[in-house]
């Protein structure tokens, strides 16, 4: 995990099998993606909606995390 503050913006770059970039500024994300593209072969999968079984939901108040999709899937399998 790499965390960097650029003026008032924070960027978190998380690398496991995939690279996920979290940032408060879209320009910082685009600069980071451009740098990575020049130095590595990569495929952009766009926005992430599930990370490690946790679903990310965006609404007018910000973001929410939920496991409800996992619970619903398991209930259907019963």
């Amino acid at each position: 995990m790499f965390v960097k503050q650029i003026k008032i913006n924070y960027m978190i770059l998380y690398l496991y099998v995939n690279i996920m970039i979290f940032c408060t500024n879209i320009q910082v994300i685009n600069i980071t993606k451009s740098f990575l593209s020049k130095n590595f072969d990569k495929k952009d999968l766009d926005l992430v909606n599930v990370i490690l079984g946790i679903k990310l939901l965006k609404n007018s108040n910000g973001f929410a995390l939920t496991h409800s999709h996992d619970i619903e899937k398991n209930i259907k399998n019963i």
Side-chain angles (χ1 to χ4, degrees):
M1 180 179 286
F2 172 79
V3 180
K4 182 173 184 171
Q5 182 178 0
I6 303 168
K7 296 185 182 180
I8 62 169
N9 300 296
Y10 286 90
M11 179 187 62
I12 299 172
L13 187 139
Y14 179 77
L15 172 63
Y16 180 60
V17 174
N18 297 316
I19 296 174
M20 290 179 268
I21 303 169
F22 305 90
C23 186
T24 55
N25 185 318
I26 191 68
Q27 290 176 324
V28 174
I29 291 173
N30 289 333
I31 290 167
T32 304
K33 286 169 61 174
S34 176
F35 169 80
L36 291 170
S37 292
K38 290 176 186 171
N39 294 285
F40 304 98
D41 290 333
K42 70 172 194 66
K43 184 194 308 185
D44 191 346
L45 299 176
D46 206 26
L47 298 176
V48 174
N49 62 0
V50 177
I51 299 173
L52 300 173
I54 301 170
K55 188 167 189 166
L56 301 165
L57 303 172
K58 183 178 180 183
N59 58 36
S60 60
N61 295 326
F63 292 91
L65 304 174
T66 180
H67 276 284
S68 63
H69 71 289
D70 211 24
I71 294 168
E72 291 171 7
K73 181 176 71 175
N74 288 329
I75 289 173
K76 289 178 184 176
N77 291 332
I78 294 178

